[in-house]
Amino acid sequence: MSQFDQRNVEFGVFLPVGNGGWITSTTSPQLPATYDYNKQVTILAEQLGFDFALSMAKWRGYGGPSQHWDVTLESLTTMAGLAEATSRIGVWGTVHTMVFHPAVVAKMTAVLDQISKGRFGLNIVSVRTQPIRDRWACGWTSTTPSVMNWRQSG
């Protein structure tokens, strides 16, 4: 058997932590960006046998008529609550490298690991394009101190 034959595939759900869920529309059903709704989704995913629930980190929506993702939950605190509300499913939170210092993320992750009893995973993402950085309106560049801290910690 090759190493690939022995690997398990995991299936998860990408939580709708932003209003509107994953559909940018003014005519589709509007999913609420609430903890209670995401808790229902995660508990159902656990009952159905899914392996993990993953939340995005979004700090600013698109505005406009759909107001897509103008209201979002913060990823790590949401996953802390969902870790308490579940017993088996993995809970994955997301951090943006330009927002959090690595030491802060390490501390938060250590606590989340305790809360989840080892079920927490961390999705680390960066802001990859200038239009997204501009939408954040933060003025960050590749030499911004928090960005440099992530580069040095890697």
Side-chain angles (χ1 to χ4, degrees):
M1 255 180 156
S2 74
Q3 70 180 20
F4 297 106
D5 294 333
Q6 298 173 3
R7 296 171 93 184
N8 292 326
V9 175
E10 292 188 1
F11 294 94
V13 60
F14 207 164
L15 294 174
V17 296
N19 66 302
W22 298 107
I23 301 171
T24 306
S25 173
T26 57
T27 60
S28 67
Q30 292 299 300
L31 301 177
T34 64
Y35 173 75
D36 285 336
Y37 183 72
N38 281 272
K39 182 173 144 182
Q40 290 173 21
V41 170
T42 305
I43 289 171
L44 178 60
E46 183 173 62
Q47 290 169 349
L48 293 173
F50 281 84
D51 299 300
F52 64 90
L54 170 68
S55 71
M56 70 173 176
K58 187 62 67 179
W59 295 93
R60 189 170 180 186
Y62 293 96
S66 71
Q67 299 178 341
H68 191 67
W69 292 347
D70 285 355
V71 177
T72 59
L73 300 176
E74 193 281 318
S75 182
L76 298 184
T77 52
T78 299
M79 299 320 281
L82 295 176
E84 279 288 325
T86 57
S87 61
R88 184 200 51 79
I89 195 167
V91 288
W92 283 73
T94 299
V95 294
H96 286 271
T97 57
M98 295 180 81
V99 176
F100 294 104
H101 188 282
V104 174
V105 173
K107 184 81 166 188
M108 291 189 297
T109 300
V111 174
L112 280 160
D113 186 61
Q114 288 181 37
I115 293 169
S116 69
K117 297 176 178 57
R119 296 178 291 125
F120 181 72
L122 185 62
N123 180 32
I124 301 171
V125 299
S126 64
V127 178
R128 60 188 164 96
T129 64
Q130 189 62 45
I132 293 173
R133 282 193 292 273
D134 292 345
R135 201 174 80 233
W136 282 32
C138 296
W140 291 318
T141 69
S142 61
T143 58
T144 298
S146 66
V147 175
M148 296 303 293
N149 289 333
W150 278 98
R151 285 184 175 169
Q152 294 168 3
S153 70

